[in-house]
């Protein structure tokens, strides 16, 4: 088969998604050329990627990071800095993988879509916070938003047979599966004693620290409800969560005739990454292939909403709309950061988010400036409630 080689920008190259994307790219060197990367603090890892893939451009956080990286490199590459550097790299490759962590990934999401590129989005926080701005950016000719998040990638595949009419009138609901995390089945009383170390032991997925904590509180699933509404234009009332501890069914779509379509694989993020890179082609690989020669049990149960209030907070943010999802995600980033630094207990994380949301003042979120103001305000309120 012959095809034009496509250029790829991998922004957030040194993290969990970044490293798994590099592995997909190693298998597909004839199809894709890695031309640019970005990262936060792991400069020697960035230098190693430049050497291995002969990367041409790198984005780093500051001038100090740029000087350190220069010293680590044996070849000359262009190094750009900060949010501007991220937007620039996001605008200059055929495919942009946004694997940056948190709200810091916003310039990548907006930069890629506004330049009419294919955006393979792992960074759910930027889409959730900036949904109205992302919706406008998606109108750019050529822009394409494909979800790397495994649940949304599953839904994207299950919707493929549905005529692409606005808001999917033939879909009754999206069913997001959740592993339930390490605390599935714990009582509210037991959860009061949960620790950071317990939370970091995810039963089925190996991921970065922040999303692993989010999985333990079910805030990750709450954020994914908001992500689904923004991606597919389906209101939150038509998005349900089902606990599926085996993490084999990655999500499902129920149609008006009662038929439910699902996508299955072993939990391996390289599969959704490869799907987003290859579409409309399926790349030949066996990441995630299921062995059906041994018995396989798949179970489903409803989430415990009382023990995991993050879900209710997320549905409430969806109902409020505007900047409420941005507040939820920003407050959660502050609270999870504090847990990872041992400044609060596990059971305080969602409480900090709830306390922050009490201060939210309705805002339609009509500009980037207003998004930054809302993000700042939510972070200030979250920081204040950490002290309590
Ligand atoms: P991680 O912490 O392992 O990696 C984050 C990456 O972002 C690193 O390369 C880091 O250097 C980079 N980064 C952080 N701040 C930056 C900045 N200011 N500028 C440039 N780069 C910066 O995180 P992860 O688990 O790979 O998650 C990345 C994103 O993907 C998150 O939004 C997460 O929710 C999403 N996601 C991850 C998984 C998973 O399996 N890990 C699954 C679904 C979605
Ligand atoms: Mg997910």
């Amino acid at each position: 088969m012959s095809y034009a080689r496509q250029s790829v920008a991998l922004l957030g190259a040194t993290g969990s998604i970044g490293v798994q994307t590099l592995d997909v790219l190693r298998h597909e060197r004839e199809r894709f050329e890695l031309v640019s990367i970005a990262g936060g603090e792991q400069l020697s890892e960035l230098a190693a990627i430049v050497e291995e893939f002969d990367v041409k451009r790198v984005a780093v956080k500051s001038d100090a990071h740029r000087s350190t990286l220069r010293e680590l490199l044996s070849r000359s590459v262009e190094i750009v800095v900060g949010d501007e550097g991220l937007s620039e790299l996001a605008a200059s490759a055929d495919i942009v993988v946004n694997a940056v962590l948190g709200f810091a990934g916003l310039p990548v999401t907006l930069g890629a879509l506004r330049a009419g590129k294919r955006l393979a989005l792992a960074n759910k926080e930027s889409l959730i916070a900036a949904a109205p701005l992302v919706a406008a950016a998606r109108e750019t000719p050529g822009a394409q938003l494909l979800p790397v998040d495994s649940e949304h990638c599953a839904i994207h595949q299950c919707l493929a047979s549905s005529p692409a009419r606005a808001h999917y009138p033939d879909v009754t609901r999206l069913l997001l599966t959740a592993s339930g995390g390490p605390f599935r089945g714990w009582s509210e009383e037991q959860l009061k004693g949960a620790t950071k170390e317990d939370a970091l032991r995810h039963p089925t997925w190996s991921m970065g620290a922040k999303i692993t904590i989010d999985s333990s509180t079910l805030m990750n699933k709450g954020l994914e409800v908001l992500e689904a509404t923004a991606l597919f234009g389906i209101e939150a009332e038509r998005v349900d969560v089902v606990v599926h501890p085996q993490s084999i069914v990655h999500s499902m779509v129920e149609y008006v005739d009662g038929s439910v379509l699902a996508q299955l694989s072993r939990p391996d993020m390289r599969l959704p990454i490869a799907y987003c890179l290859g579409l409309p082609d399926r790349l030949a690989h066996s990441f995630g292939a299921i062995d059906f020669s041994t018995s396989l049990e798949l179970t489903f149960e409803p989430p415990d909403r009382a023990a995991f209030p993050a879900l209710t907070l997320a549905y409430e943010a969806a109902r409020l709309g505007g900047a409420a999802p941005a507040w939820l995600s920003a407050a959660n980033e502050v609270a999870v950061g504090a847990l990872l630094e041992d400044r609060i207990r596990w059971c305080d994380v969602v409480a900090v988010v709830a306390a922050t949301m009490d201060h939210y003042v309705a805002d339609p979120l009509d500009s980037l400036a207003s998004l930054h103001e809302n993000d700042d305000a939510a972070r200030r309120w979250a920081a204040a409630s950490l002290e309590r």
Side-chain angles (χ1 to χ4, degrees):
M1 198 163 128
S2 75
Y3 28 70
R5 204 163 175 231
Q6 289 177 293
S7 59
V8 175
L10 172 55
L11 309 176
T14 58
S16 164
I17 292 290
V19 165
Q20 295 181 85
T21 304
L22 292 173
D23 202 38
V24 174
L25 295 175
R26 273 185 200 103
H27 284 78
E28 296 286 347
R29 286 194 188 260
E30 276 124 67
R31 211 183 260 262
F32 304 112
E33 180 188 10
L34 182 63
V35 293
S36 49
I37 59 174
E41 303 301 332
Q42 303 84 350
L43 298 176
S44 45
E45 281 91 333
L46 280 179
I49 301 167
V50 169
E51 307 284 345
E52 181 187 347
F53 288 88
D54 192 17
V55 168
K56 303 287 182 278
R57 303 173 81 194
V58 186
V60 294
K61 279 162 80 165
S62 70
D63 290 331
H65 288 79
R66 169 160 50 193
S67 311
T68 312
L69 181 61
R70 279 249 186 274
E71 283 165 24
L72 293 167
L73 287 169
S74 70
R75 62 185 80 199
S76 115
V77 298
E78 186 188 348
I79 307 179
V80 293
V81 172
D83 284 2
E84 261 175 49
L86 285 177
S87 329
E88 209 179 308
L89 298 193
S92 50
D94 299 322
I95 304 176
V96 179
V97 180
N98 187 353
V100 173
L101 180 69
F103 190 69
L106 182 67
V108 177
T109 294
L110 293 178
L113 294 174
R114 286 174 177 169
K117 305 299 181 181
R118 169 179 293 191
L119 172 64
L121 182 70
N123 177 272
K124 63 190 89 183
E125 295 92 343
S126 60
L127 171 62
I128 292 162
L133 307 180
V134 172
R138 278 170 93 174
E139 298 297 319
T140 311
Q144 194 184 14
L145 175 48
L146 294 178
V148 168
D149 210 354
S150 56
E151 295 77 2
H152 306 75
C153 186
I155 289 169
H156 193 270
Q157 295 175 65
C158 297
L159 286 173
S161 70
S162 176
R165 275 176 286 155
H167 312 300
Y168 297 98
D170 55 347
V171 168
T172 314
R173 56 185 176 148
L174 309 180
L175 292 151
L176 290 175
T177 52
S179 70
F183 302 135
R184 183 174 64 92
W186 287 38
S187 66
E188 286 172 64
E189 205 45 46
Q190 283 174 302
L191 286 171
K192 287 187 186 140
T195 66
K196 174 179 92 175
E197 288 70 28
D198 295 332
L200 286 172
R201 256 177 251 122
H202 196 279
T204 51
W205 291 98
S206 160
M207 310 178 285
K210 190 250 178 189
I211 184 171
T212 304
I213 299 296
D214 289 346
S215 300
S216 75
T217 58
L218 291 203
M219 184 57 87
N220 183 50
K221 214 47 57 178
L223 294 173
E224 289 184 351
V225 169
L226 293 160
E227 182 184 6
T229 64
L231 272 169
F232 304 112
I234 290 182
E235 63 283 15
E237 293 74 31
R238 283 197 288 156
V239 183
D240 276 344
V241 174
V242 183
V243 174
H244 166 54
Q246 296 83 13
S247 299
I248 297 288
V249 173
H250 296 300
S251 278
M252 303 178 273
V253 175
E254 184 185 282
Y255 285 89
V256 287
D257 62 358
S259 195
V260 175
L261 301 195
Q263 184 261 333
L264 285 69
S265 76
R266 279 192 296 105
D268 188 322
M269 287 307 294
R270 291 174 302 176
L271 195 153
I273 292 165
Y275 174 85
C276 291
L277 292 176
L279 204 73
D281 296 335
R282 293 248 175 199
L283 305 183
H285 62 73
S286 57
F287 308 133
I290 298 171
D291 177 6
F292 284 104
S293 68
T294 59
S295 64
L296 174 65
E297 199 180 340
L298 303 179
T299 60
F300 302 92
E301 64 195 45
D304 182 345
R305 294 278 190 111
F308 297 97
L311 276 180
T312 303
L313 287 174
Y315 279 102
E316 179 60 11
R319 192 186 64 73
L320 292 168
W327 274 61
L328 183 88
S329 184
N332 182 58
E333 277 190 43
V334 172
V336 172
L339 173 70
L340 290 173
E341 290 167 5
D342 298 309
R343 290 160 56 211
I344 57 173
R345 297 165 304 165
W346 181 87
C347 61
D348 299 325
V349 171
V350 174
V352 166
V353 179
T356 305
M357 294 311 288
D358 286 341
H359 298 282
Y360 172 65
V361 182
D363 182 318
L365 199 63
D366 49 14
S367 70
L368 191 56
S370 136
L371 174 56
H372 282 287
E373 280 161 24
N374 277 285
D375 179 71
D376 287 346
R379 281 169 204 270
R380 273 198 308 276
W381 282 114
S385 75
L386 288 177
E387 310 306 325
R388 267 178 258 128

